[in-house]
Amino acid sequence: MEMEMETEAAAARQAKESLELAFQMSQILDTGLDRHTLSLLMALCDRGANPEALASLVRELSSAAPPTAAAAAAAAVSSPVSNGAAGPAPATASMFPSGLRRP
């Protein structure tokens, strides 16, 4: 029983380390994926999903997603305003609950 618990703990540590490494690589590549989204994608791959098909799906969904609040704020700042007053940027809900942003 104790040996089984140690094995499960080691597997959990290894999974956490793998996710952290994948997240660091994701950050370096500026993919815009958060840890939660990345963990879901990794779980799908572990269950046999085609990684290339998942990547295509993420790219397609990211390009179809409404602009994030940060992108809307940047657009509001860079565009001229006729009355000289800039209002607050509208907050747009992400298509992805985990906060995936467009590259």
Side-chain angles (χ1 to χ4, degrees):
M1 181 77 169
E2 186 176 318
M3 183 70 144
E4 185 178 316
M5 289 176 58
E6 288 177 16
T7 304
E8 288 177 12
R13 274 192 309 277
Q14 184 176 7
K16 189 174 182 177
E17 289 172 5
S18 295
L19 176 59
E20 186 58 31
L21 179 61
F23 180 69
Q24 289 175 3
M25 291 186 328
S26 173
Q27 292 294 101
I28 290 169
L29 296 171
D30 195 27
T31 63
L33 298 172
D34 61 15
R35 279 184 179 86
H36 179 73
T37 303
L38 191 58
S39 69
L40 292 174
L41 293 169
M42 290 173 67
L44 288 169
C45 288
D46 286 344
R47 287 166 177 73
N50 181 334
E52 291 177 13
L54 284 175
S56 294
L57 179 63
V58 168
R59 278 192 297 272
E60 183 178 326
L61 291 174
S62 295
S63 66
T68 61
V77 169
S78 65
S79 66
V81 178
S82 61
N83 64 2
T92 358
S94 174
M95 177 182 244
F96 302 97
S98 59
L100 180 68
R101 70 181 199 281
R102 293 193 315 188

